[in-house]
Amino acid sequence: MENLIRIEINDSSLLVKKGTKVSEIITKLNLDGKPLGVKINGELYDLDFVLNDSVKIDLIFPDSEDGLEILRHSTAHLMAQAVLQLFPGTKTGIGPPVENGFYYDFYRDKPFTPEDLEKIEKRMRKLSKEDIPIKKIILSKKEAIEIFREKGQDLKVELIEEKGGDEVTCYQQGDFIDFCLGPHLTSTSQIKYFKILSSSGAYWRGDEKGLRLQRIYGTAFFKKEDLDNYLHSIEEAKKRDHRKLGPELDLFSINEEIGAGLILWHPKGAIIRKLIEDFWKEEHLKNGYELVYTPHIARLDLWRQSGHTQFYEAMYPPMKIDEVEYEIKPMNCPFHIMIYKSRQRSYRDLPLRWAELGTVYRFERSGVLHGLLRVRGFTQDDAHIFCSSEQLGSEITNVIKLTLKILKTFGFKEYEIYLSTRPEKFVGDLKDWEKATNALENSLKKMELNYKIDPGEGVFYGPKIDIKIKDALGRAWQCTTIQLDFNLPSRFNLTFIGKDGALHRPFMIHRAILGSLERFFGILIEHYKGNFPVWLAPIQVIILPITEKTNDYALKIEDSLKKYGIRCETDLRNEKISYKIRDAEKNKIPYMVIVGEREKKEGNISLRVHTIGDKGKMELEKFIEMVINLDKNKSLEYII
RNA sequence: GCCAGUGUAGCUCAGAGGUAGAGCAACUGAUUCGUAAUCAGUAGGUCGAGGGUUCGAAUCCCUCCGCUGGCUCCA
């Protein structure tokens, strides 16, 4: 009996001998089509996989994400084969599948030019047509190292030496062999619909001081239609890129003469910011926060005491004022701490929740700047909570609740939550770390939120929860962050007098919900594709007289709307109505109120709604009521 | 910061050693029009900045600045 294992596969369960290959089981099943591989315990394997334990097997077919992963991994190999044929002497690094595609890293003296990439793609098509079988081969570690050393593939030798067991798995297709666990397709002819997308620099093993490699990115699909759709979707996403929409809609700009990573908020962007800030302040006041304001600079000594000068790399050089060194702030925390320290605190005062829209400046390396999403000057929607050990759990839960409410109001439903735990280098004692990490995790569990654990990714001073939201091109950006801090309270010797009359150290939670107004605005522009909901739209209504004869009526309507605080304008230009409509649609104004002789005579309006179209005649009062309602409720809809 | 690409009118782009171009937007005029572009005219540029090669540079070379993709995904 001990030679038998139980295999769960395809809704059935069967007993097989130890050492059975997956493929032997599969031939016994009546399947439509052949699977590409299997997934066991979350790992992908090919059909040669030998079963030695009782496990559950998931079959991988082409129409799945896992199937695509196998295809893309094989396409990466195909690309490496093409590169080695065209550019002999190139050394191969690693070539994994990634979200939406794959890449392969190469080392070569000369960089790949765009023409080289075209040649590589052409060669890949040729190799695909040649229908080269892809075979798995098992070698001893010694053999494998010899083979790759002979081929001059030093990087592979390094990897095999480090990661290879006694037996080393390789995949071979024609003249190309790669050290790889697989799984892979069985022939290059199965790789048909692919495209090389871009190249870039990369460091060997992600080490900035290490070897500089060239990375080539590509993608692949099983169907031509899917590839075309993907390429089309990239083009579409570029149209709602905030860096394109922002200047187009006159929301913000970045001026080279002012400096990289510094944002100019134009009037239309500024009104949106104001509305976001008002909402943010209201919510915080409702939730027991108090507002504070702090300066933009402080003496360098303050940053020495906080530890920023030693630990924080993004500081600007200090400036001298009256022989004393001052530093522009990269964070708000030391200021809030000084407010805490401005008097003796008692357990009766706690929790203290201090919020500030605090503008900070950080030196970000030039290559990482990115529109509104990564800048050098930005305003954090910051707050610091000082609380006792007993209050920690409920404070964290309340921060998460507030976060979810705010994100929901803006219409965000998709985001990723991460819990980052203790890194190797850390300050504070283990008990506190454990308590705080548990408090964070318990809050997530209590609220039944899906989250991933980022082991060791916490900051040196404490564990944290991050919420990331994706931009138009699918890149995730950290917005919300909830961090515990074991560093500053002790560095500044924060205390409160407990019930017992003794001094205790408060817990400190550092949190930002939107992250920064700049980044959040960028994400928001892309989230709405520039079609802001009524409550945020810089201009909510534009009144379009059909000819000059109804200009007076249009202006009367503008007056009426303005009385109710509705943000509106009238297009008095001497243009045809279709021209004015086109302009208003391009400016993504929610409502177009069209008035001609008919409306003037009947005393009503014609309404056209952005992205929806002509809604016909309407009473002015009804329209006003609708707009006010949607505005007040922060509705994401344009019509009721 | 590093690798590669890129920078011409407000925007989208053409020009690739020999006098800076188009469309849209802007401005002026005509047209008075019913749901995504009426017609005509006018104006707009140290070709990112600085240096060099040349009789002559937007174009070739160098330096700097900005922007774009990537530098996290691990055989």
Side-chain angles (χ1 to χ4, degrees), chain A residues 548-557 572 600:
Chain A
E548 284 170 356
K549 289 174 194 161
T550 44
N551 277 0
D552 55 340
Y553 184 58
L555 289 169
K556 246 172 79 185
I557 290 174
L572 294 172
K600 185 174 174 179

Side-chain angles (χ1 to χ4, degrees), chain A residues 316-526:
Chain A
Y316 282 104
M319 59 188 127
K320 251 189 185 168
I321 301 171
D322 281 346
E323 297 306 305
V324 179
E325 288 184 300
Y326 279 79
E327 176 65 44
I328 189 151
K329 67 173 170 184
M331 293 185 186
N332 305 302
C333 7
F335 298 90
H336 293 193
I337 280 181
M338 285 314 193
I339 297 175
Y340 184 96
K341 278 174 75 81
S342 67
R343 52 174 287 189
Q344 175 89 264
R345 304 287 172 183
S346 127
Y347 73 96
R348 291 170 190 275
D349 299 328
L350 304 183
L352 288 163
R353 308 184 191 97
W354 291 332
E356 175 180 17
L357 295 165
T359 304
V360 298
Y361 291 86
R362 296 181 181 176
F363 172 72
E364 298 288 352
R365 298 201 286 182
S366 62
V368 305
L369 298 174
H370 186 98
L372 290 173
L373 300 182
R374 187 102 180 247
V375 293
R376 285 183 174 156
F378 55 97
T379 302
Q380 291 182 303
D381 67 314
D382 211 355
H384 294 94
I385 299 169
F386 301 91
C387 66
S388 68
S389 163
E390 300 77 48
Q391 293 164 335
L392 193 57
S394 63
E395 285 306 310
I396 292 168
T397 304
N398 285 337
V399 171
I400 297 174
K401 271 188 194 159
L402 180 59
T403 301
L404 295 181
K405 162 147 200 224
I406 289 177
L407 292 183
K408 193 179 159 203
T409 302
F410 288 104
F412 288 108
K413 289 184 195 119
E414 283 176 38
Y415 37 74
E416 294 165 356
I417 304 177
Y418 294 89
L419 173 66
S420 300
T421 56
R422 182 166 52 78
E424 277 176 35
K425 280 188 188 170
F426 66 98
V427 299
D429 63 65
L430 282 170
K431 262 190 195 165
D432 282 346
W433 272 87
E434 203 178 311
K435 182 179 170 58
T437 309
N438 286 340
L440 290 170
E441 189 157 21
N442 287 338
S443 293
L444 290 171
K445 281 185 180 154
K446 208 161 84 185
M447 304 200 59
E448 294 176 350
L449 294 166
N450 289 322
Y451 62 94
K452 290 175 199 158
I453 291 189
D454 245 348
E457 285 303 304
V459 207
F460 73 93
Y461 54 76
K464 59 172 182 168
I465 291 172
D466 290 331
I467 300 183
K468 294 181 188 179
I469 305 179
K470 284 184 180 172
D471 70 11
L473 287 164
R475 294 170 292 210
W477 297 87
Q478 180 196 302
C479 291
T480 306
T481 186
I482 305 166
Q483 307 182 349
L484 265 294
D485 192 326
F486 303 127
N487 182 44
L488 294 178
S490 74
R491 274 186 172 268
F492 284 94
N493 192 25
L494 298 190
T495 56
F496 65 90
I497 299 173
K499 232 176 193 167
D500 54 5
L503 287 178
H504 299 269
R505 178 133 301 154
F507 275 79
M508 180 177 175
I509 302 168
H510 170 114
R511 44 113 290 183
I513 289 177
L514 309 174
S516 85
L517 291 171
E518 284 75 7
R519 176 173 289 180
F520 191 75
F521 188 37
I523 292 274
L524 207 56
I525 293 169
E526 300 191 358

Side-chain angles (χ1 to χ4, degrees), chain A residues 23-43:
Chain A
S23 55
E24 294 173 60
I25 296 177
I26 285 173
T27 48
K28 287 179 198 161
L29 301 168
N30 257 334
L31 292 175
D32 298 338
K34 201 184 169 211
L36 302 172
V38 293
K39 195 172 198 175
I40 300 169
N41 293 327
E43 298 281 337

